[in-house]
Amino acid sequence: MELLPLLTALLLAHAMAYLAWHALARRRRQRCYLLDYACHKPSDDRKVTTEMAGAVIERNKRLGLPDYRFLLKVIVNSGIGEHTYSPRNVLDGREECATHYDALDEMDAFFDDAVRGVLAKTGVSPRDVDLVVLNVGSFSPAPSLAARLVSRFGMREDVMAYNLSGMGCSAGLVSVDLARRVMLTRPRTMALVVTSESCAPNWYNGTDKSMMLGNCLFRCGGAAALLTNDPAFRSRAKMELRCLVRAHIGAYDDAHAAAVHREDADGRLGVSLSKDLPKAAVRAFSQNLQRLAPRILPAAELARFTLRLLAGKLMRRKLKFEGPKINFKTGVDHFCLHPGGTAVIDAVRKNLGLTAYDVEPATMTLHRWGNTSASSLWYVLSYMEAKRRLKAGDRVLMVTFGSGFKCNSCYWEVSKDLDDAGAWEDCIDDYPPETMVNPYTEKFGWVNDLQGGGGILPF
């Protein structure tokens, strides 16, 4: 009988040690480190200037003067500079007859640059990769692009490969979330997240204005990132993921139809952006922020916001406050925003009460690279790093929007001072430029003076 208390104490100690070990192991699995990333820089012979874009427009004989005016107006006022990249088939004058191999060649060039680049930077062998998550929205061949990547780099037979398509510009963070969730069940996992868009087969050749904008805004690009939950890589990681929030409002018909890949009245395929898109973006953004704010903002700011909200209700909204309702800058040091267009950047800036300095990375990314869809965020992050803005302990918020309609966000903590210029290396000293005015504004300025033809859609 005297041994019973001792045995009980030993069993309790053993149980508590097991629970503590299990909790620690689970916490380690929940860790998600960004080891490194690489942004794709296409070859210089694929650069497209405003003048070249105007020449491509002129080749479409279906366009009337109002259509021509509309497209030139969008290009000149898009915020896109003279050094973005286009698919080869468009530069070769074959935008109306792109082949399957044009799309594959575009992807292979991206793989050989960005994927090979991030593996070389980290010293990670392709056979060390346990998980591949690839997203390319509007090109889904068979075998899949994820399978093509596995084959091209000779990865292991047990590698887990996921191929996402149709997810739009927010797919980059969807891929990060999928990798994170898989890593919750598998310790010491090395995940390769690959994100891009296929422009070669998706040039729109019709006259529907809601479908013309994609030709003006979207450009070639892509990024590859290595994520891991292996604590052995913690000291080498650039950032650690603190939280990720996804909002999907596709249950609303207008939101679901805000950005759709469809045929026009003449049977020509393209992406249609509806006039309901701004409203859908605001609604999705609001839904995301409501769940994000309690997870990243200090208690003092949340309390201030709550008191302000209660005061407004008690005073029956007679109180007028200036500035944003809640100050996200109390919990965020850097805002990595999706450069979907000048209107998108400006809307987020106003809603969050940000300064021109805060949105400079997104604005400069749009100018240098255009809208590269889901990979755009990585170019924005790379700009911050090239400008040596990111210091150990800083907090970075990524926000992106995409068809569905979705708004996704994630919150990173910088692990060490970062200064890798990456794809910006040869041009970072030129940014920001002295002027953002398109150099061809004077040449094409006449399009703003003509009567008729309609204005730019409000997005």
Side-chain angles (χ1 to χ4, degrees):
M1 295 296 291
E2 295 179 356
L3 292 176
L4 184 60
L6 178 60
L7 290 173
T8 303
L10 289 173
L11 287 173
L12 287 174
H14 178 76
M16 292 178 66
Y18 173 78
L19 290 174
W21 175 86
H22 184 73
L24 180 61
R26 179 175 176 80
R27 184 178 179 183
R28 285 180 175 176
R29 287 198 299 270
Q30 289 177 340
R31 299 286 191 183
C32 179
Y33 304 107
L34 172 63
L35 191 57
D36 213 330
Y37 62 97
C39 296
H40 176 39
K41 182 184 178 184
S43 57
D44 286 346
D45 61 345
R46 290 173 57 186
K47 282 187 178 181
V48 55
T49 64
T50 301
E51 190 166 24
M52 293 170 66
V56 174
I57 291 174
E58 288 180 356
R59 291 203 296 257
N60 188 350
K61 302 306 180 184
R62 303 179 188 90
L63 299 179
L65 183 59
D67 304 317
Y68 186 59
R69 170 185 179 268
F70 173 80
L71 286 172
L72 284 179
K73 187 174 182 180
V74 172
I75 292 173
V76 170
N77 296 287
S78 65
I80 295 177
E82 301 299 293
H83 301 285
T84 59
Y85 302 92
S86 175
R88 292 190 187 281
N89 63 298
V90 174
L91 296 176
D92 293 342
R94 296 185 295 105
E95 62 269 17
E96 294 199 34
C97 54
T99 68
H100 183 72
Y101 292 103
D102 286 328
L104 289 177
D105 286 345
E106 182 184 13
M107 291 296 102
D108 288 343
F110 158 55
F111 292 162
D112 289 343
D113 182 29
V115 176
R116 203 174 299 280
V118 75
L119 293 175
K121 287 169 69 175
T122 57
V124 173
S125 166
R127 297 190 68 81
D128 292 332
V129 174
D130 305 296
L131 168 67
V132 174
V133 182
L134 180 146
N135 66 270
V136 173
S138 53
F139 179 51
S140 185
S144 69
L145 290 173
R148 189 177 185 86
L149 186 67
V150 169
S151 173
R152 196 171 189 85
F153 287 88
M155 295 181 179
R156 297 197 318 264
E157 292 77 8
D158 63 343
V159 65
M160 296 176 289
Y162 296 88
N163 196 101
L164 306 180
S165 62
M167 303 294 285
C169 294
S170 65
L173 297 190
V174 175
S175 296
V176 170
D177 189 38
L178 176 56
R180 178 183 66 89
R181 290 178 182 273
V182 171
M183 287 192 289
L184 288 175
T185 66
R186 293 175 61 93
R188 293 179 171 80
T189 296
M190 183 64 69
L192 175 64
V193 173
V194 182
T195 176
S196 185
E197 188 52 272
S198 176
C199 296
N202 290 298
W203 187 271
Y204 176 64
N205 298 291
T207 58
D208 187 322
K209 288 185 178 179
S210 72
M211 302 170 74
M212 290 180 183
L213 289 174
N215 294 351
C216 303
L217 298 176
F218 287 102
R219 295 291 188 269
C220 295
L226 279 172
L227 306 176
T228 184
N229 61 349
D230 190 341
F233 288 95
R234 182 177 183 179
S235 62
R236 295 174 52 190
K238 288 190 169 183
M239 301 195 299
E240 182 176 352
L241 183 64
R242 290 305 186 188
C243 74
L244 192 151
V245 175
R246 294 167 57 183
H248 196 310
I249 58 170
Y252 297 92
D253 291 342
D254 57 342
H256 181 72
V260 179
H261 201 207
R262 66 172 178 85
E263 293 180 337
D264 65 11
D266 298 318
R268 295 185 178 86
L269 196 64
V271 176
S272 173
L273 305 177
S274 81
K275 293 184 178 180
D276 290 324
L277 192 149
K279 183 173 67 174
V282 169
R283 184 187 300 166
F285 192 34
S286 176
Q287 289 290 329
N288 190 286
L289 293 184
Q290 286 179 34
R291 290 166 31 217
L292 176 69
R295 301 178 67 177
I296 69 172
L297 296 183
E301 175 59 22
L302 295 174
R304 185 199 66 82
F305 171 70
T306 302
L307 291 174
R308 178 175 176 169
L309 188 65
L310 290 174
K313 289 184 176 181
L314 291 174
M315 298 297 292
R316 297 182 180 180
R317 299 183 180 179
K318 290 182 181 180
L319 294 177
K320 294 184 179 181
F321 299 100
E322 296 182 358
K325 294 181 179 179
I326 192 165
N327 184 8
F328 274 84
K329 295 176 104 174
T330 58
V332 179
D333 299 300
H334 308 281
F335 294 84
C336 189
L337 309 176
H338 173 56
T342 53
V344 173
I345 297 171
D346 195 51
V348 176
R349 179 185 64 79
K350 291 179 179 178
N351 274 280
L352 294 183
L354 305 181
T355 65
Y357 177 84
D358 294 324
V359 300
E360 178 187 302
T363 304
M364 296 306 110
T365 296
L366 179 65
H367 185 271
R368 172 62 181 87
W369 306 94
N371 181 348
T372 62
S373 189
S375 66
S376 293
L377 283 179
W378 298 104
Y379 290 91
V380 178
L381 183 67
S382 182
Y383 180 89
M384 294 178 180
E385 189 172 350
K387 285 294 186 181
R388 301 188 177 186
R389 291 190 178 193
L390 303 179
K391 306 298 182 182
D394 284 358
R395 300 152 300 177
V396 180
L397 175 63
M398 287 182 168
V399 179
T400 189
F401 303 91
S403 59
F405 196 85
K406 302 181 289 294
C407 175
N408 299 325
S409 63
C410 66
Y411 188 66
W412 301 89
E413 182 177 332
V414 180
S415 302
K416 57 188 175 183
D417 294 356
L418 303 177
D419 59 2
D420 181 7
W424 290 88
E425 185 174 11
D426 66 342
C427 63
I428 191 62
D429 292 336
D430 299 327
Y431 283 89
E434 293 182 2
T435 177
M436 294 290 288
V437 176
N438 189 292
Y440 290 91
T441 297
E442 183 175 351
K443 179 175 181 178
F444 295 120
W446 57 271
V447 301
N448 292 321
D449 299 327
L450 292 178
Q451 299 297 318
I456 298 178
L457 295 177
F459 40 75

